[in-house]
């Protein structure tokens, strides 16, 4: 399998503005100050009342992002000079054109090209683009962000994110952050060629978060020397504001094991990048699992074989035990309310092996 997209858009998320950004609001600074009070569990009554503003600040961010996001999507077919909000050149190919407006970065959830030699390869679709799968990955990014936040790992910070779905397109919106390529201290932004574990304090925080997520530490990097909790392409930054930020959560959870039969209709070589186990299942599963199983991010050949075996076992348990057990429970509950003449019934067919 090809590695994940090399473009991390770190420079796109910096607080540096351009003439195209319009009026810029410090969304992130406001959010982090309010969110800190929540994580600190209201050490004073004053902090409690300040924390009550958090939902309103987030609501305002969502409403602002939706307002301008719908404009960006509506004008997608226009030439740049005719657009109300014009694209900005901030590097990278993922998602095509990007926009910065009102202190918010917008990018389309589109399937990017990750290789051109020997043939063109797309991140999710393989030999042809599949934007639907890219939209699923964007949803996983938001879910992963929420799960990291839910570990309540004091010292880690996460940006606000929102998905904007409109007339068949999906935009990912997040506030500009005080980061760039120079602030990267954890994970990889270049497909695993360079892997960072540069800050011992941050490494410890990621270990704590990883254990709470029930993900396994594993070796990432061509030199097989860096141990990462989570996917290899996750990013940790020491921001210019001194805060520790975690970004790129799309593969926070391990993938489902692909079908054993590569000729099966359900087999998808790129599925390991968006067909992932649910965090609720992962949290309750008996073993820690590797987020990079079945990908070339998992560098140690001996450990990689064990990681693939563990994820295969977990996938089999999900399809053979958890889902049928849940279906049986639903059947039993429906039967209790079924009208005379027979119980309701649900059926479950596992994917072709």
């Amino acid at each position: 399998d090809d590695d994940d997209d090399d473009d991390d858009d770190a420079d796109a998320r910096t607080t540096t503005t351009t003439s195209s950004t319009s009026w810029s609001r410090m969304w992130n600074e406001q959010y982090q100050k309010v969110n800190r009070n929540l994580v600190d569990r209201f050490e004073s009554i004053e902090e409690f009342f300040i924390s009550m503003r958090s939902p309103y600040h987030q609501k305002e961010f969502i409403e602002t992002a939706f307002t301008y996001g719908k404009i960006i999507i509506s004008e997608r077919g226009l030439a740049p000079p005719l657009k109300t909000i014009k694209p900005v050149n901030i590097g990278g190919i993922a998602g095509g054109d990007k926009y910065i407006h009102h202190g918010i970065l917008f990018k389309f959830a589109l399937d990017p090209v990750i290789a051109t030699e020997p043939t063109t390869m797309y991140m999710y679709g393989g030999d042809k683009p599949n934007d639907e799968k890219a939209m699923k990955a964007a949803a996983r990014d938001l879910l992963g962000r929420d799960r990291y936040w839910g570990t309540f790992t004091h010292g880690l910070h996460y940006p606000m994110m929102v998905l904007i779905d409109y007339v068949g397109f999906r935009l990912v919106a997040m506030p500009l952050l005080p980061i760039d390529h120079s602030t990267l201290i954890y994970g990889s932004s270049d497909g695993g060629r360079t892997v960072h574990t540069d800050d011992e304090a941050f490494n410890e925080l990621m270990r704590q978060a990883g254990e709470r997520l029930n993900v396994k530490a594993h070796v990432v990097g061509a030199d097989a020397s860096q141990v990462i909790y989570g996917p290899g392409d996750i990013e940790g930054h020491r921001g210019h504001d001194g805060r520790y930020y975690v970004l790129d959560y799309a593969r926070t959870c391990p993938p489902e094991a692909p079908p054993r039969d590569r000729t099966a209709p359900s087999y998808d070589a790129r599925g390991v990048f968006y067909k992932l186990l649910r965090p609720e299942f992962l949290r309750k599963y008996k073993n820690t699992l590797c987020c990079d199983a079945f990908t070339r991010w998992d560098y140690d050949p001996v450990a990689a074989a064990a990681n693939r075996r563990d994820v295969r076992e977990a996938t089999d348990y999900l399809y053979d035990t958890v889902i049928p057990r849940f279906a049986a429970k639903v059947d039993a509950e429906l039967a209790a309310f079924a009208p005379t003449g027979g119980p309701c019934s649900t059926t479950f067919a596992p994917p072709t092996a």
Side-chain angles (χ1 to χ4, degrees):
D1 292 333
D2 289 281
D3 293 334
D4 201 350
D5 178 26
D6 292 353
D7 169 46
D8 67 328
D9 293 330
D11 285 330
R13 298 182 293 235
T14 181
T15 53
T16 301
T17 60
T18 71
S19 59
S20 301
T21 61
S22 183
W23 182 78
S24 183
R25 176 170 174 175
M26 302 300 288
W27 294 102
N28 180 69
E29 184 65 20
Q30 292 174 296
Y31 173 71
Q32 298 302 337
K33 286 181 177 179
V34 172
N35 192 56
R36 174 183 61 83
N37 295 302
L38 177 61
V39 176
D40 288 349
R41 296 176 183 270
F42 318 131
E43 293 182 348
S44 69
I45 190 65
E46 290 81 12
E47 288 184 347
F48 173 80
F49 283 111
I50 292 174
S51 72
M52 295 297 289
R53 293 166 47 196
S54 179
Y56 301 103
H57 177 65
Q58 294 179 56
K59 182 175 183 290
E60 186 179 4
F61 174 78
I62 292 171
E63 291 176 347
T64 303
F66 266 81
T67 296
Y68 295 116
K70 289 170 70 175
I71 294 173
I72 292 171
I73 294 173
S74 297
E75 297 182 344
R76 186 172 183 273
L78 296 180
L82 301 177
K83 294 183 177 184
T84 305
I85 303 173
K86 295 174 175 55
V88 293
N89 183 12
I90 52 179
I93 59 173
D97 288 339
K98 300 174 181 67
Y99 305 79
I100 297 176
H101 192 74
H102 217 56
I104 303 174
L105 168 69
F106 299 88
K107 59 181 179 179
F108 281 94
L110 301 175
D111 196 357
V113 175
I114 58 172
T116 56
E117 297 292 340
T119 60
T120 300
M121 175 68 70
Y122 292 87
M123 179 66 213
Y124 303 107
D127 58 354
K128 57 185 178 181
N130 191 313
D131 294 336
E132 179 183 359
K133 294 176 181 178
M135 292 180 185
K136 291 181 180 180
R140 284 292 189 167
D141 199 19
L142 178 59
L143 177 62
R145 181 264 180 214
D146 290 345
R147 293 303 169 179
Y148 265 99
W149 187 92
T151 66
F152 289 95
T153 305
H154 185 76
L156 295 183
H157 297 80
Y158 320 96
M160 291 184 290
M161 289 180 63
V162 61
L163 302 182
I164 303 161
D165 293 329
Y166 186 60
V167 295
F169 291 96
R170 173 168 287 177
L171 276 177
V172 180
M174 62 186 297
L176 296 176
L177 302 178
I179 65 169
D180 54 40
H181 285 290
S182 71
T183 63
L184 182 64
I185 58 173
Y186 194 87
S188 178
S189 65
D190 60 5
R193 288 185 291 273
T194 306
V195 181
H196 296 267
T197 53
D198 306 339
D199 187 303
E200 289 300 324
F202 188 87
N203 297 346
E204 171 60 19
L205 292 175
M206 290 300 289
R207 182 194 66 80
Q208 295 175 22
E211 290 181 353
R212 293 166 187 172
L213 291 168
N214 204 29
V215 298
K216 189 176 184 180
H218 64 292
V219 172
V220 176
D223 59 358
S225 62
Q226 307 298 336
V227 176
I228 295 290
Y229 282 85
D233 57 347
I234 201 166
E235 293 186 20
H237 290 261
R238 188 193 300 113
H240 293 300
D241 60 357
R243 296 186 179 101
Y244 285 145
Y245 290 96
V246 183
L247 301 168
D248 290 350
Y249 322 92
R251 298 194 302 114
T252 294
C253 293
E256 289 187 9
R260 294 177 175 83
D261 182 4
R262 288 176 173 261
T263 65
S266 60
Y267 184 82
D268 180 2
R270 310 300 303 173
V272 293
F273 293 110
Y274 69 92
K275 290 183 178 179
L276 311 181
L277 297 170
R278 293 287 303 181
E280 297 85 356
F281 171 80
L282 176 64
R283 185 174 62 252
K284 295 181 179 180
Y285 190 63
K286 61 181 180 180
N287 298 324
T288 58
L289 298 176
C290 178
C291 300
D292 286 328
F294 294 98
T295 77
R296 291 193 297 183
W297 285 96
D298 198 4
Y299 277 85
D300 186 323
V302 176
N307 292 336
R308 290 193 298 270
R309 183 171 59 251
D310 289 345
V311 170
R312 172 76 64 189
E313 180 181 330
T315 303
D316 289 343
Y317 176 70
L318 172 65
Y319 280 101
D320 297 341
T321 303
V322 175
I323 297 177
R325 182 185 296 162
F326 176 75
K329 180 181 178 182
V330 172
D331 274 348
E333 292 177 351
L334 290 176
F337 297 96
T340 304
C344 301
S345 178
T346 60
T347 59
F348 168 72
T352 305

